């Protein structure tokens, strides 16, 4: 954690770990292929409509945890949003960009 940047660098809290993380893992597994990508704004909109409390900063933190622990293999992102890719080059490009 970095002082004065806690919102960006804090580990997941209990709500994020137990509620948001599993929900997002399930969500991402349904978004296979770039044509089915989902943006951070769409995630916020859909989850907020269902009563979840989430921000763009915390989405990115949760995505980081998902990637570090390989909870959704081949989860990549592009200008179109987040999606699961079966294209090795796409996955490699995403890793390089991170």
């Amino acid at each position: 954690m970095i002082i004065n940047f806690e919102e960006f660098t804090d580990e997941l809290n209990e709500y994020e770990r137990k509620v948001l993380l599993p929900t997002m893992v399930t969500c991402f597994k349904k978004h296979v292929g770039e044509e089915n990508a989902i943006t951070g704004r769409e995630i916020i909109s859909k989850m907020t409509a269902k009563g979840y409390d989430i921000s763009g900063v915390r989405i990115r933190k949760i995505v980081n945890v998902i990637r570090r622990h390989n909870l959704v293999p081949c989860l990549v992102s592009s200008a179109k949003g987040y999606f699961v890719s079966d294209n090795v080059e796409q996955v490699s490009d995403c890793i390089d960009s991170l």
Side-chain angles (χ1 to χ4, degrees):
M1 171 177 42
I2 300 172
I3 304 301
N4 296 323
F5 292 90
E6 292 83 1
E7 179 183 7
F8 301 99
T9 59
D10 269 353
E11 290 302 314
L12 299 184
N13 63 38
E14 185 175 0
Y15 173 71
E16 292 165 336
R17 203 173 44 258
K18 292 184 176 180
V19 177
L20 297 180
L21 178 65
T23 302
M24 289 181 61
V25 166
T26 300
C27 170
F28 287 136
K29 287 181 178 180
K30 296 177 185 174
H31 290 273
V32 178
E34 192 167 14
E35 66 278 3
N36 296 309
I38 185 167
T39 67
R41 285 185 181 174
E42 290 173 312
I43 293 168
I44 292 170
S45 176
K46 290 179 180 193
M47 290 186 77
T48 301
K50 292 182 178 183
Y52 295 101
D53 180 24
I54 192 162
S55 69
V57 170
R58 298 319 288 172
I59 287 173
R60 291 186 294 279
K61 184 63 178 186
I62 293 167
V63 166
N64 178 274
V65 170
I66 290 170
R67 286 175 170 159
R68 281 187 314 180
H69 296 279
N70 201 32
L71 301 176
V72 179
C74 302
L75 177 63
V76 299
S77 53
S78 73
K80 294 183 179 184
Y82 299 100
F83 61 96
V84 177
S85 178
D86 63 357
N87 180 309
V88 174
E89 188 174 323
Q90 260 180 342
V91 174
S92 180
D93 288 348
C94 184
I95 291 169
D96 289 346
S97 75
L98 296 172

